[in-house]
Amino acid sequence: MKLSQRGDVDPFIVMDVMEAARKLEAAGRHVIHMEVGQPSTGAPQAALARLGDALQHDAMGYTVGLGAGYTVGLGLPALRARIARHYGDVYNVDLDPQRVVVTAGASGAFLLAFNALFETGARVGLGYPCYPSYRQILRALDMQPVGIRTTMENRMQPVPADLAGLRLDGLLVASPANPTGTMLDRAAYQALSDTCNASGISLISDEIYHGIEYGSVAETALSVTDDVYVINSFSKYFSMTGWRVGWMVVPKDHIRPIERLAQNMFICPNHAAQRLALASMDARPELDANLAVYKANRDLMIAGLREAGLGHFAPPDGAFYIYTDVSAYTDDALAFTAALLQEAGVAAAPGVDFDPEEGHHWVRFCYARQTSDIIEGIARIKAFMAGRRT
C-alpha cells in the first residue's frame, strides 16, 4: 500500500527525548524533566470537582437543555461566551462570542486556521526559532513554511523589516514565544499588523502562554486589529495539557467557513473537556499560585544557567522556557542534550527542533516543574558543565 508524502515530516524531537528519559527511568535512573512544556500541576481542583459532580448526573450523552453529547461544531455556547468575557476582563477587548471557536487543542486550531486561510503551496512566515509543529503541519498540508531569521536585538521576534522580499501569504507569530519566552508589545503588534494589511499577508497570533507572564500582562493581537486569527489553549496557564481544549478567535466573515471545516474535521471538541475548561476559567486564584512557582523557578534558572556558563539568552518575559546558546561548548545540540541526559540525568530539548538552520547551537530548558526539581536540575547542569570546561 502506497503512502502519501504528507507523513514525510520531521519528528517532534522533544518527544524522542521524553522517550529516552522514560527508558532511563524504567531502568532505575532518576531524571529531572526540563524537556517538555508541560505544567507539573493538573487541572484546577475546584474545576475537577465541578466536572466530577456533573459526571455523576450526566453521562455526557444527549440531554435536552444541557447540550450534552455532540456539541455544536464551534463549541459549547456557554464556553464561547465565557472566553469572550475573558477578553473584556483581561485585555479590555469587547469580543463577540460568535467569533470564538473552541477547538480540539491548539493543534486543532492550527489545522483549521491553515486550511481556512491558505491554498496549496502558500508561503507562511515563521520567526526562527519557533514551535516545531508549525512547520510540520504546514508541510503536511502542502504549504511552505518560510523561516525568518530573528535576532537577539529584537529579542528573537520578527519585525516588519524581516518580511521584505519574502512574498508571504501568511505570518505566524507567538507571544509569549516557545522556545524563547519573549513577548510582543502593543507597538510591535501594531507594526506587524500594519505591514501584513498593506501586503495582503494573513496574520496568525499564537497566544497559548498568555497568563504566564513575569511583569506586564501579555498583549493580544486583538488589541490592535480584528483582521487576525488568535489562537489560545487551556493547556498552559490553565494546566490542562491532556484534556486537549483550545480556542481561536476569527474575523466575523470567517465564522461560517471555519464552522464548516470544524464540523467535518472534528464534529466537535470533547464535551467533558469543554465543561472542565468552562469551570477552570473561574479558578484563577489556584492558577495564579502556579504562576508564583514559575516565577521563582525562572529566577533560579536565570541565575543557575549563568553560573553554569550558559548565560547567553534573552530573559523570558513569559511562558516557562529559557532558550540558551551552547555554541561555546558544542556545534551539535542533539549530542549535547543526549550527554546531559545520560551523564547528568537532566532531559532538555535540542534547538534543532525549533530552528532547523541554527538550532544545533541552542538548547531549551523548561522550568515548569516543582521548584525542588529545578534546584536539583540546576545542580546537575552545573556539575555537567564543570566537566565540559575542564
Side-chain angles (χ1 to χ4, degrees):
M1 185 180 296
K2 185 178 179 180
L3 281 169
S4 84
Q5 294 184 354
R6 295 185 188 279
D8 188 18
V9 297
D10 297 335
F12 197 168
I13 297 172
V14 71
M15 307 306 290
D16 294 339
V17 175
M18 280 183 64
E19 176 61 13
R22 185 198 65 78
K23 289 179 178 178
L24 279 184
E25 289 173 320
R29 291 280 301 278
H30 178 248
V31 174
I32 300 295
H33 290 275
M34 294 184 171
E35 78 279 32
V36 66
Q38 176 166 294
S40 60
T41 52
Q45 290 298 310
L48 287 169
R50 285 174 60 182
L51 177 61
D53 182 67
L55 289 170
Q56 294 298 317
H57 301 94
D58 175 8
M60 300 296 162
Y62 179 74
T63 305
V64 175
L66 290 178
Y70 289 136
T71 67
V72 294
L74 296 180
L76 287 173
L79 179 55
R80 296 168 70 198
R82 183 64 182 85
I83 291 169
R85 179 157 67 88
H86 171 79
Y87 279 90
D89 294 344
V90 177
Y91 309 104
N92 198 30
V93 170
D94 185 10
L95 180 62
D96 180 352
Q98 294 301 310
R99 294 177 57 197
V100 178
V101 181
V102 183
T103 61
S107 298
F110 288 118
L111 282 168
L112 290 171
F114 295 162
N115 276 286
L117 290 172
F118 307 123
E119 304 291 350
T120 299
R123 295 170 55 84
V124 181
L126 310 171
Y128 283 174
C130 67
Y131 177 58
S133 293
Y134 299 154
R135 302 195 314 274
Q136 312 314 336
I137 296 171
L138 286 166
R139 285 174 176 157
L141 295 173
D142 287 336
M143 298 169 188
Q144 185 175 348
V146 179
I148 300 170
R149 179 56 48 203
T150 63
T151 65
M152 272 293 196
E153 180 184 4
N154 293 322
R155 306 197 76 252
M156 302 182 116
Q157 290 280 4
V159 297
D162 297 332
L163 311 186
L166 295 182
R167 299 178 293 106
L168 298 179
D169 299 291
L171 173 68
L172 199 167
V173 297
S175 177
N178 176 10
T180 63
T182 62
M183 296 196 311
L184 296 164
D185 61 19
R186 184 173 297 201
Y189 265 125
Q190 187 70 68
L192 287 169
S193 173
D194 290 346
T195 300
C196 288
N197 285 335
S199 304
I201 297 171
S202 296
L203 179 62
I204 303 172
S205 180
D206 178 350
E207 302 179 3
I208 73 169
Y209 291 96
H210 273 220
I212 305 175
E213 305 112 1
Y214 307 109
S216 59
V217 173
E219 291 282 357
T220 175
L222 293 167
S223 66
V224 301
T225 182
D226 286 327
D227 194 18
V228 63
Y229 276 41
V230 167
I231 293 173
N232 209 320
S233 171
F234 286 91
S235 289
K236 308 302 181 180
Y237 172 76
F238 294 96
S239 202
M240 288 176 51
T241 50
W243 291 89
R244 309 311 302 141
V245 189
W247 78 81
M248 181 166 64
V249 180
V250 303
K252 285 186 177 181
D253 58 342
H254 289 223
I255 295 169
R256 183 55 177 162
I258 285 285
E259 184 174 32
R260 292 194 297 260
L261 285 168
Q263 289 168 339
N264 285 286
M265 284 185 168
F266 304 108
I267 300 180
C268 67
N270 178 284
H271 184 180
Q274 289 188 78
R275 296 275 282 270
L276 180 63
L278 178 59
S280 76
M281 299 199 80
D282 295 322
R284 292 188 72 91
E286 182 179 342
L287 296 167
D288 285 342
N290 297 340
L291 179 59
V293 174
Y294 302 149
K295 173 65 167 65
N297 292 353
R298 171 187 180 271
D299 295 344
L300 287 168
M301 286 293 295
I302 288 174
L305 289 176
R306 286 173 173 163
E307 291 167 5
L310 297 173
H312 188 219
F313 51 79
D317 304 310
F320 32 58
Y321 308 112
I322 293 180
Y323 190 66
T324 190
D325 185 356
V326 296
S327 60
Y329 307 99
T330 185
D331 60 2
D332 187 348
L334 272 170
F336 183 90
T337 54
L340 181 64
L341 178 59
Q342 289 293 331
E343 298 174 25
V346 175
V352 288
D353 232 4
F354 312 99
D355 182 347
E357 298 170 1
E358 297 186 4
H360 51 283
H361 287 151
W362 296 80
V363 170
R364 187 194 73 177
F365 293 96
C366 176
Y367 52 86
R369 309 291 291 188
Q370 294 299 316
T371 301
S372 58
D373 283 344
I374 301 305
I375 292 170
E376 174 62 21
I378 290 169
R380 295 185 187 189
I381 292 168
K382 287 181 180 179
F384 175 82
M385 292 306 299
R388 290 296 185 277
R389 293 195 297 270
T390 57

